[in-house]
Amino acid sequence: MSSIPEDLKYTKESEWIRMDDEFNATCGITDHAQEMLTDIVFVELPEDGIEVRQGEQVGVVESVKAVSNIYTPVSGLISAVNKSLEDSPELMNADPYGDGWLFKIEVKNPGELDSLLSDKQYRDHVESGG
């Protein structure tokens, strides 16, 4: 079974978000998502400094097997992107919750976190074929 850390929130599309402090968060794709994609060969990251809305497509991950859209778990301002993924997209396979993070966001409405899945809800979603 894929790793599903308890301290994160999840989307049904398999993105995760970790609150770094009250209004700043780090986002990426889950261990389950990288397992489904297999060998990731390319990532298109959002622009640093753009304003995004919850659920908006902000990038693309390409693997030898599939192309998958990346959606933002919450609304806010993209405050940083993981530039090391441009040369080493395989970091998403090796360490999806660490070095393989995608972007950081200044969270506009922390209440949106309530609409995301807990680790248990995400596990149930994955196990049910979601």
Side-chain angles (χ1 to χ4, degrees):
M1 174 42 104
S2 306
S3 165
I4 303 175
E6 293 177 15
D7 62 328
L8 307 178
K9 291 284 208 165
Y10 301 90
T11 67
K12 288 184 176 174
E13 295 78 30
S14 295
E15 289 87 17
W16 58 263
I17 183 168
R18 174 187 299 117
M19 292 305 293
D20 300 323
D21 61 35
E22 193 177 352
F23 291 104
N24 294 285
T26 302
C27 302
I29 63 169
T30 65
D31 192 28
H32 173 71
Q34 71 80 21
E35 283 178 359
M36 294 294 103
L37 286 165
T38 65
D39 297 329
I40 296 171
V41 294
F42 175 77
V43 61
E44 180 184 305
L45 296 167
E47 290 273 323
D48 195 359
I50 64 166
E51 193 76 37
V52 295
R53 288 191 328 269
Q54 184 178 37
E56 185 178 333
Q57 181 186 335
V58 294
V60 175
V61 174
E62 198 173 307
S63 72
V64 293
K65 188 164 118 172
V67 174
S68 185
N69 293 331
I70 301 165
Y71 302 95
T72 180
V74 294
S75 302
L77 180 76
I78 302 292
S79 57
V81 295
N82 189 350
K83 296 279 189 204
S84 54
L85 295 178
E86 292 171 3
D87 295 325
S88 303
E90 67 278 1
L91 287 171
M92 287 185 282
N93 292 118
D95 192 9
Y97 301 115
D99 291 340
W101 64 275
L102 296 174
F103 60 92
K104 294 185 182 281
I105 188 167
E106 290 175 19
V107 180
K108 192 177 211 168
N109 179 2
E112 288 179 342
L113 293 164
D114 296 339
S115 68
L116 301 176
L117 305 176
S118 69
D119 58 305
K120 183 179 179 337
Q121 291 168 320
Y122 181 68
R123 183 179 310 280
D124 292 345
H125 174 68
V126 169
E127 288 174 352
S128 70

